Amino acid sequence: MAEFMTALDSTKFLLRLPRMDADTFLPEELLARGVLVVDDSPVQRMAMIEHLNALGITRIAEAGEGTEALERLAQLLPQPAVILVDLEMPGMDGVELIQRLAELPLPPAIVLASGREDMVISAVELMIEGLGLPLLGALQKPVPLERLQAALGGFDPNRVRVQRSGASGSRVTAEALVDAL
């Protein structure tokens, strides 16, 4: 809350502003580079875009499946800082997309957002970490604004990708993960 007084007649008035905590602010580089939202559901994409807009992110690109996401990444300059990835999509699913992101020299940070069971999300989270990719969060859909904000608040432009020695080159699909669980 801030109090102001006019210079002419000493009239006071009170201005109420929303409380902004330190963690409300997102890293400047994230705001400048933006986010790529990858989900086959237009409704889910729009919900995520509304959340991102509410957080002050205006550089937003979208894709309906993994192949389209890789094409968008190749076209976008600057590269998005973060990619929001759904797991189950037609064509290239989220698991394969994540594996392809691991092949990039400087992959974007990942926020996983899925309607799948917690066990499946946890398994993919472990896969992402095993690939050495920067993971900001693994969230259950529908994603509340506060959880998305917390995940994006963890973006660190200085994070160095972890190189894993002896990593397997084999591909894992979402279906294989579910079967394994």
Side-chain angles (χ1 to χ4, degrees), residues 111-126:
V111 174
L112 182 63
S114 178
R116 293 303 311 251
E117 303 81 22
D118 287 338
M119 192 180 322
V120 173
I121 294 172
S122 294
V124 176
E125 184 176 6
L126 288 173

Side-chain angles (χ1 to χ4, degrees), residues 27-36 57 59 73 76 78-84 106-111 134-136 152 155-157:
E28 197 62 41
E29 186 168 334
L30 170 60
L31 297 173
R33 290 175 47 200
V35 176
L36 173 59
I57 299 172
R59 286 187 56 92
L73 280 174
L76 294 169
Q79 290 275 305
V82 174
I83 184 168
L84 283 159
L106 294 171
I110 297 171
V111 174
L135 177 66
L136 300 180
L152 293 174
F155 175 75
D156 180 1

Side-chain angles (χ1 to χ4, degrees), residues 42-177:
V43 172
Q44 290 292 334
R45 280 198 314 268
M46 287 311 301
M48 293 305 275
I49 289 168
E50 286 179 16
H51 280 352
L52 293 169
N53 282 322
L55 295 172
I57 299 172
T58 57
R59 286 187 56 92
I60 302 168
E62 55 185 288
E65 53 88 32
T67 303
E68 183 183 357
L70 291 173
E71 291 169 359
R72 295 300 313 261
L73 280 174
Q75 298 167 349
L76 294 169
L77 290 175
Q79 290 275 305
V82 174
I83 184 168
L84 283 159
V85 181
D86 182 26
L87 281 182
E88 290 186 300
M89 297 178 285
M92 183 186 294
D93 64 18
V95 172
E96 186 177 352
L97 171 59
I98 291 164
Q99 291 173 328
R100 296 283 300 275
L101 291 173
E103 298 169 3
L104 298 176
L106 294 171
I110 297 171
V111 174
L112 182 63
S114 178
R116 293 303 311 251
E117 303 81 22
D118 287 338
M119 192 180 322
V120 173
I121 294 172
S122 294
V124 176
E125 184 176 6
L126 288 173
M127 180 193 82
I128 292 168
E129 291 171 355
L131 290 169
L133 293 170
L135 177 66
L136 300 180
L139 310 174
Q140 181 80 35
K141 285 198 249 177
V143 176
L145 177 62
E146 299 78 22
R147 301 264 334 261
L148 180 60
Q149 179 180 355
L152 293 174
F155 175 75
D156 180 1
N158 299 313
R159 183 173 185 270
V160 178
R161 180 182 170 155
V162 177
Q163 294 296 326
R164 308 293 291 189
S165 61
S168 167
S170 62
R171 298 276 179 209
V172 179
T173 64
E175 293 79 24
L177 276 172

